Amino acid sequence: MSILDRFSSEHRLAQTRAGVSGKVVAITGGARGIGFEIAEQVLAAGGRVALGDIDGDAVGKAAADLGVEGAELDVTDAASFERFLDVVEERVGPIDVLVNNAGIMPVGSFLDYDEALIRSTIEIDFLGVILGTRAAARRMVTRGGGQVVNIASVAGRLAAPGLSVYNGAKSGVIEFSETLDFELAPHGVSVSAVLPSFTKTGLVTGLKTNAFVKTVDTDVVGREVLTTIATRRTRAMAPASLRWVDMMPMTPIGLKRRLAKFAKTDTIFLHADQSARADYSKRIGQVGRSD
């Protein structure tokens, strides 16, 4: 890296941190993985953090490790979300940014999904985003400004057999975010979607990725979230090199399927190592026969 490039990179980082410093950021699904990483990066940038998670013990430990506030939160319950936001505002301050990160990713044949798993995926990954956004946005509109950052996924733009319900939920998050950003802009509230690639968390355990389906570390996603907070952009890929994914909905179906076969995304999520995913599957309530 040249001196000029290094200076430019450091200047961008300084601008990003300045755009986050002092802000109160509430993060759902904050006990582990991407949510915990975002919290660490917000703190490093001078922001103030509160964590919410369905796992009360885990969020308590995560909050203690970071020295921040943490509270149990069921994102599928509107009353639980209101209580969480009340706690954050009482103990930390008015919320500048809500990061809707909580989510689960079941994999496997759609025909093997039971109804409970389908419902929980939609309720956590999509309904939870809607309920949280509504609760936070109402408060933000009253104060005249704020931001919601919704963690979607490149899976919301790339059809992948074995991810059918997750694909549908994340696609919904992307379009919901853009539409609501348009609607709330006159009130000073922005709504953004960050689309991570498959990230090295429990979600991808037991999946055989390849050169075309690379996983990224959580810090990559955290940096894109920080930049999104600082710039209030409507949509971002993590990593940024995946911007081409946004063009996939306009790609002819035949070509998309040929590309999927070439990259093997037509089978990766259908044939996961279920024994390796056992702990994660138990946590999210996924049951079914092994491949």
Side-chain angles (χ1 to χ4, degrees), residues 100 102 121-122 124-130 133 149-153 156-157 166-180 191-195 234-235:
N100 280 314
T121 304
I122 296 298
I124 295 170
D125 291 9
F126 191 22
L127 178 61
V129 169
I130 293 173
T133 301
V149 178
N150 295 324
I151 306 302
S153 171
R157 283 288 179 261
Y166 183 78
N167 274 135
K170 292 302 186 179
S171 179
V173 170
I174 295 167
E175 298 310 319
F176 165 76
S177 301
E178 181 177 344
T179 301
L180 199 57
V191 182
S192 308
V194 174
L195 284 60
T234 304
R235 188 177 302 167

Side-chain angles (χ1 to χ4, degrees), residues 51-57 59-60 70-74 80-81 83-84:
L51 304 177
D53 200 284
I54 188 68
D55 188 332
D57 291 337
V59 75
E72 191 168 336
L73 165 65
D74 179 355
S80 178
F81 228 125
R83 287 194 297 273
F84 170 65

Side-chain angles (χ1 to χ4, degrees), residues 173-225:
V173 170
I174 295 167
E175 298 310 319
F176 165 76
S177 301
E178 181 177 344
T179 301
L180 199 57
D181 182 64
F182 194 6
E183 180 177 331
L184 296 181
H187 302 283
V189 176
S190 63
V191 182
S192 308
V194 174
L195 284 60
S197 180
F198 300 104
T199 310
K200 294 175 184 176
T201 65
L203 277 71
V204 300
T205 303
L207 297 174
K208 296 180 180 178
T209 55
N210 56 43
F212 302 102
V213 186
K214 292 183 178 180
T215 56
V216 298
D217 291 321
T218 55
D219 66 300
V220 173
V221 183
R223 285 195 296 272
E224 292 300 332
V225 171

Side-chain angles (χ1 to χ4, degrees), residues 76 104 115-126 284-285:
T76 70
I104 62 174
E115 183 178 341
L117 180 64
I118 293 171
R119 287 185 179 278
S120 61
T121 304
I122 296 298
E123 289 176 356
I124 295 170
D125 291 9
F126 191 22
I284 68 171

